[in-house]
Amino acid sequence: MSFEDAGILCSGSSGWGFEALAEHLAQVLSVPVVHHPAKFNYVLAYDELDKIGENAWFIPYEGIHIASDKRQVARRFHTAKVSSPQTLLCADIESAQQKVLQDPSRRWCLKYPTSTGATGHRLFNAGTNIPTDWPLPIVLQEFIALARPEVYRTYCAGGEFFGWVVRRHPDVNSKDPWVAHARGAQYCDCGDIPKKAVNVATDALRATGLLQSFGCVDLLFSPSQGWVVLEVGTDGIFNHVDRDLGIPHLEHEIDLRLADAFWHRVRALGTTL
Ligand SMILES: Nc1ncnc2c1ncn2[C@@H]1O[C@H](COP(=O)(O)OP(=O)(O)OP(=O)(O)O)[C@@H](O)[C@H]1O
Ligand SMILES: [Mg+2]
C-alpha cells in the first residue's frame, strides 16, 4: 500500500467539527484529507460508515463507538475486570436510589453517558432528581472524593504507552469535583507513568479495542483501590483526544507516535490489500 491508498477521511454532516484536526493530521501523517474512503483511513467524519470496509479503519469503529458512551465503557470494563470505580447500570432512577440507600457509606455520582467536559454529571443521593429524558440505563458510579480533585491521563499509540499528565483546577482551593479542561482545569507534565497505572491503562484499552491504534486513558488514584480508570478517549465520529495541553513536547510526541503507529499499520497491510 502506498501514500495514495491512505487518507484522513473527513466529510459529511459533521466534517466541519473535525476540519482543524484533519488538516493537522494530514501534515503529521503525510497523507491527504479525503472526502471518500481510501483503502486505509484515519476516520474522523463520514456519513455512510457502512461504506468503509472493516479493515479500512486505523482506529476501529467499534473502539470509537464504545469510547463515546459511558454505558458501553462500563460494560466492557465490567466484563474485562478493569480496575475502575464501582459502576452500576440502573434501569431507572428508583433502582439507582435504592442502590445508594443500600450503601450509604459511599458517595455516588450519575454520569451523563455521552457527555464531554463533564456536562450533565451530578453528585447523587437518594433525593437527587434528573430530567425525564435522561438516557437509560442510568450510569451510577462511586464518586472518589479527593482532597484536591485531580485526574491523570496517559496515551497509547500502536500498543505503546507514553505521556503522563495530571489535570487540576488552577485554584488550589477549588472544590469543583469535575476536573475537565472545558471547565478550566489545566494539564501538568508528571514525568514517568507508574508501572501499576500502565497495567490498568493497558487493560482499559484492550477491553475497549483501542490498544493497537490510538487512545488515551483517564485515571484517578483512589485512596482505597489504587489506580482506577474513569474512561478512555480516542479520535473520530463523536469526539477527539484533547491536544491543547500547554505541554509542547508532549503535543509533539503525540504527533510522532501517531505517525509511527499509522505507517506501521499501512506497511503491515501493504501485502494484504
Ligand atoms: N467517579 C468519579 N469520582 C471522582 N471524580 C470523577 C468521577 N467521575 C468523573 N470524575 C471527575 O469528573 C471529570 C469528568 O469526568 P468524565 O471524564 O467521566 O466526563 P467527560 O464528560 O467525559 O469529561 P471529559 O470531556 O473531560 O473527558 C473527571 O476528569 C474527574 O475529574
Ligand atoms: Mg470524556
Side-chain angles (χ1 to χ4, degrees), residues 67 70 114-118 121 153 167 218 231-233 239:
K70 296 174 206 309
T114 52
S115 109
T116 58
H121 296 354
R153 175 169 286 188
R167 208 163 58 209
D218 286 347
E231 65 167 2
V232 298
N239 216 326

Side-chain angles (χ1 to χ4, degrees), residues 67 70 84-87 107-121 123 140-146 149-153 167 169 176-183 185 187 216 218-220 228-233 239-240 242:
K70 296 174 206 309
S84 51
Q86 185 174 8
T87 308
R107 294 179 71 187
W108 298 90
C109 58
L110 294 192
K111 313 280 290 270
Y112 195 84
T114 52
S115 109
T116 58
T119 311
H121 296 354
L123 296 173
L140 174 68
Q141 189 168 75
E142 177 183 8
F143 181 79
I144 312 283
L146 300 169
E150 60 179 18
V151 58
Y152 290 78
R153 175 169 286 188
R167 208 163 58 209
H169 287 296
D176 179 3
W178 315 116
V179 190
H181 191 187
R183 294 170 71 95
Y187 294 95
C216 65
D218 286 347
L219 305 104
L220 295 181
V228 290
V229 178
L230 280 184
E231 65 167 2
V232 298
N239 216 326
H240 65 83
D242 185 7

Side-chain angles (χ1 to χ4, degrees), residues 144 227 256 261:
I144 312 283
W227 290 110
L256 294 180

